[in-house]
Short mmCIF file of all heavy atoms in Angstrom, two decimals:
data_model
loop_
_atom_site.label_atom_id
_atom_site.label_comp_id
_atom_site.label_asym_id
_atom_site.label_seq_id
_atom_site.Cartn_x
_atom_site.Cartn_y
_atom_site.Cartn_z
N GLN L 1 43.97 94.91 131.59
CA GLN L 1 44.73 94.46 132.76
C GLN L 1 44.71 92.95 132.85
O GLN L 1 45.74 92.31 133.11
CB GLN L 1 44.13 95.06 134.02
CG GLN L 1 44.76 94.51 135.31
CD GLN L 1 43.95 94.82 136.54
OE1 GLN L 1 43.09 95.70 136.53
NE2 GLN L 1 44.22 94.08 137.61
N SER L 2 43.54 92.36 132.61
CA SER L 2 43.42 90.91 132.75
C SER L 2 42.22 90.40 131.98
O SER L 2 41.16 91.01 131.98
CB SER L 2 43.27 90.52 134.23
OG SER L 2 43.06 89.12 134.37
N SER L 3 42.39 89.28 131.34
CA SER L 3 41.27 88.54 130.76
C SER L 3 41.32 87.10 131.24
O SER L 3 40.77 86.20 130.62
CB SER L 3 41.32 88.58 129.24
OG SER L 3 42.55 88.08 128.74
N GLY L 4 41.99 86.91 132.36
CA GLY L 4 42.12 85.57 132.93
C GLY L 4 43.49 85.42 133.57
O GLY L 4 44.36 86.29 133.47
N VAL L 5 43.69 84.29 134.21
CA VAL L 5 44.93 84.04 134.94
C VAL L 5 45.62 82.81 134.39
O VAL L 5 45.01 81.76 134.21
CB VAL L 5 44.63 83.85 136.45
CG1 VAL L 5 45.89 83.43 137.20
CG2 VAL L 5 44.10 85.14 137.05
N ALA L 6 46.91 82.95 134.11
CA ALA L 6 47.76 81.83 133.71
C ALA L 6 48.57 81.36 134.90
O ALA L 6 48.72 82.09 135.90
CB ALA L 6 48.68 82.25 132.56
N LEU L 7 49.10 80.19 134.83
CA LEU L 7 49.91 79.59 135.90
C LEU L 7 51.34 79.47 135.39
O LEU L 7 51.60 78.76 134.43
CB LEU L 7 49.35 78.22 136.29
CG LEU L 7 49.90 77.56 137.53
CD1 LEU L 7 49.63 78.41 138.78
CD2 LEU L 7 49.29 76.17 137.69
N THR L 8 52.27 80.20 136.00
CA THR L 8 53.66 80.17 135.55
C THR L 8 54.34 78.88 135.98
O THR L 8 53.82 78.13 136.82
CB THR L 8 54.45 81.36 136.11
OG1 THR L 8 54.59 81.22 137.53
CG2 THR L 8 53.73 82.69 135.82
N ALA L 9 55.53 78.64 135.43
CA ALA L 9 56.25 77.41 135.72
C ALA L 9 56.69 77.32 137.17
O ALA L 9 56.97 76.23 137.67
CB ALA L 9 57.47 77.30 134.80
N ASP L 10 56.77 78.48 137.87
CA ASP L 10 57.12 78.44 139.29
C ASP L 10 55.94 78.69 140.19
O ASP L 10 56.08 78.99 141.37
CB ASP L 10 58.24 79.45 139.58
CG ASP L 10 57.99 80.83 139.01
OD1 ASP L 10 56.92 81.01 138.39
OD2 ASP L 10 58.86 81.72 139.16
N GLY L 11 54.73 78.54 139.61
CA GLY L 11 53.53 78.54 140.43
C GLY L 11 52.98 79.88 140.81
O GLY L 11 52.22 79.98 141.78
N TYR L 12 53.33 80.91 140.07
CA TYR L 12 52.70 82.22 140.27
C TYR L 12 51.48 82.33 139.37
O TYR L 12 51.46 81.77 138.27
CB TYR L 12 53.66 83.37 139.93
CG TYR L 12 54.70 83.64 141.00
CD1 TYR L 12 55.97 83.05 140.94
CD2 TYR L 12 54.42 84.51 142.04
CE1 TYR L 12 56.93 83.31 141.93
CE2 TYR L 12 55.38 84.78 143.03
CZ TYR L 12 56.62 84.18 142.96
OH TYR L 12 57.55 84.42 143.92
N GLY L 13 50.47 83.06 139.82
CA GLY L 13 49.36 83.43 138.95
C GLY L 13 49.73 84.69 138.18
O GLY L 13 50.28 85.63 138.75
N LYS L 14 49.46 84.69 136.87
CA LYS L 14 49.84 85.81 136.03
C LYS L 14 48.68 86.22 135.16
O LYS L 14 48.02 85.39 134.55
CB LYS L 14 51.03 85.40 135.13
CG LYS L 14 51.49 86.48 134.18
CD LYS L 14 52.68 86.00 133.34
CE LYS L 14 52.23 84.98 132.29
NZ LYS L 14 53.31 84.65 131.35
N ASP L 15 48.38 87.54 135.14
CA ASP L 15 47.28 88.04 134.32
C ASP L 15 47.56 87.82 132.84
O ASP L 15 48.67 88.01 132.36
CB ASP L 15 47.06 89.54 134.57
CG ASP L 15 46.35 89.82 135.86
OD1 ASP L 15 45.44 89.05 136.20
OD2 ASP L 15 46.70 90.80 136.55
N MET L 16 46.52 87.37 132.12
CA MET L 16 46.58 87.22 130.68
C MET L 16 45.79 88.33 130.02
O MET L 16 44.90 88.91 130.64
CB MET L 16 45.98 85.87 130.27
CG MET L 16 46.66 84.66 130.86
SD MET L 16 45.82 83.15 130.39
CE MET L 16 45.95 83.23 128.60
N VAL L 17 46.12 88.63 128.77
CA VAL L 17 45.42 89.72 128.08
C VAL L 17 44.76 89.26 126.78
O VAL L 17 44.33 90.07 125.98
CB VAL L 17 46.37 90.91 127.79
CG1 VAL L 17 46.84 91.52 129.08
CG2 VAL L 17 47.56 90.46 126.94
N LEU L 18 44.66 87.94 126.57
CA LEU L 18 43.99 87.42 125.38
C LEU L 18 42.64 86.86 125.79
O LEU L 18 42.56 85.80 126.42
CB LEU L 18 44.84 86.32 124.72
CG LEU L 18 46.19 86.76 124.19
CD1 LEU L 18 46.99 85.57 123.68
CD2 LEU L 18 46.03 87.79 123.08
N ALA L 19 41.57 87.56 125.45
CA ALA L 19 40.23 87.16 125.87
C ALA L 19 39.62 86.16 124.90
O ALA L 19 40.12 85.93 123.80
CB ALA L 19 39.34 88.40 125.98
N GLY L 20 38.47 85.58 125.32
CA GLY L 20 37.71 84.70 124.44
C GLY L 20 38.24 83.31 124.30
O GLY L 20 38.10 82.68 123.24
N ARG L 21 38.82 82.76 125.35
CA ARG L 21 39.40 81.42 125.27
C ARG L 21 39.32 80.78 126.66
O ARG L 21 38.99 81.43 127.66
CB ARG L 21 40.85 81.48 124.81
CG ARG L 21 41.70 82.42 125.68
CD ARG L 21 43.13 82.52 125.22
NE ARG L 21 43.86 81.29 125.55
CZ ARG L 21 45.19 81.17 125.38
NH1 ARG L 21 45.88 82.19 124.89
NH2 ARG L 21 45.79 80.07 125.70
N GLU L 22 39.62 79.48 126.70
CA GLU L 22 39.74 78.83 127.99
C GLU L 22 41.04 79.30 128.66
O GLU L 22 42.07 79.44 128.02
CB GLU L 22 39.75 77.31 127.83
CG GLU L 22 39.84 76.58 129.17
CD GLU L 22 39.76 75.05 129.00
OE1 GLU L 22 39.70 74.59 127.85
OE2 GLU L 22 39.81 74.38 130.04
N VAL L 23 40.99 79.53 129.97
CA VAL L 23 42.14 79.98 130.72
C VAL L 23 42.28 79.10 131.95
O VAL L 23 41.35 78.38 132.33
CB VAL L 23 42.00 81.47 131.15
CG1 VAL L 23 42.09 82.37 129.93
CG2 VAL L 23 40.69 81.71 131.91
N PHE L 24 43.44 79.16 132.58
CA PHE L 24 43.62 78.35 133.78
C PHE L 24 42.68 78.81 134.88
O PHE L 24 42.02 78.01 135.53
CB PHE L 24 45.06 78.43 134.30
CG PHE L 24 45.21 77.81 135.66
CD1 PHE L 24 45.21 76.43 135.81
CD2 PHE L 24 45.31 78.59 136.81
CE1 PHE L 24 45.31 75.82 137.07
CE2 PHE L 24 45.41 78.01 138.06
CZ PHE L 24 45.41 76.62 138.20
N GLY L 25 42.64 80.13 135.09
CA GLY L 25 41.86 80.62 136.22
C GLY L 25 41.22 81.97 135.95
O GLY L 25 41.52 82.63 134.95
N PHE L 26 40.35 82.36 136.85
CA PHE L 26 39.66 83.63 136.71
C PHE L 26 40.30 84.67 137.60
O PHE L 26 40.92 84.36 138.64
CB PHE L 26 38.17 83.49 137.07
CG PHE L 26 37.86 83.05 138.48
CD1 PHE L 26 37.73 83.99 139.50
CD2 PHE L 26 37.69 81.71 138.80
CE1 PHE L 26 37.44 83.61 140.79
CE2 PHE L 26 37.40 81.31 140.09
CZ PHE L 26 37.28 82.26 141.09
N CYS L 27 40.16 85.93 137.23
CA CYS L 27 40.59 87.04 138.05
C CYS L 27 39.43 87.39 138.99
O CYS L 27 38.34 87.73 138.52
CB CYS L 27 40.96 88.24 137.18
SG CYS L 27 41.41 89.69 138.15
N GLY L 28 39.65 87.32 140.27
CA GLY L 28 38.59 87.47 141.26
C GLY L 28 38.03 88.88 141.34
O GLY L 28 37.02 89.08 142.03
N GLY L 29 38.66 89.84 140.66
CA GLY L 29 38.12 91.19 140.70
C GLY L 29 36.83 91.37 139.96
O GLY L 29 36.09 92.34 140.22
N ALA L 30 36.53 90.46 139.02
CA ALA L 30 35.28 90.54 138.24
C ALA L 30 35.06 89.19 137.58
O ALA L 30 35.63 88.95 136.50
CB ALA L 30 35.36 91.67 137.21
N ALA L 31 34.28 88.35 138.18
CA ALA L 31 34.06 87.01 137.66
C ALA L 31 32.71 86.48 138.11
O ALA L 31 32.08 87.01 139.04
CB ALA L 31 35.17 86.08 138.13
N LEU L 32 32.25 85.43 137.42
CA LEU L 32 31.01 84.75 137.77
C LEU L 32 31.32 83.27 137.96
O LEU L 32 31.97 82.64 137.12
CB LEU L 32 29.97 84.93 136.66
CG LEU L 32 28.54 84.46 136.99
CD1 LEU L 32 27.91 85.34 138.06
CD2 LEU L 32 27.69 84.49 135.73
N VAL L 33 30.86 82.71 139.09
CA VAL L 33 31.17 81.32 139.46
C VAL L 33 29.87 80.59 139.74
O VAL L 33 28.93 81.15 140.33
CB VAL L 33 32.07 81.28 140.70
CG1 VAL L 33 32.52 79.85 140.99
CG2 VAL L 33 33.30 82.19 140.53
N ARG L 34 29.80 79.33 139.31
CA ARG L 34 28.64 78.50 139.67
C ARG L 34 28.69 78.25 141.18
O ARG L 34 29.67 77.70 141.70
CB ARG L 34 28.68 77.18 138.93
CG ARG L 34 28.49 77.29 137.43
CD ARG L 34 28.37 75.89 136.80
NE ARG L 34 28.53 75.97 135.36
CZ ARG L 34 27.56 76.26 134.50
NH1 ARG L 34 26.33 76.46 134.97
NH2 ARG L 34 27.80 76.32 133.22
#
């Protein structure tokens, strides 16, 4: 379903499905934050 969140050109958050890389943002359904 999601391995992170991308930012579209019109400012929507979009789920990404490519794990193991830097992403724009995290999916708040399952994440760890400092």
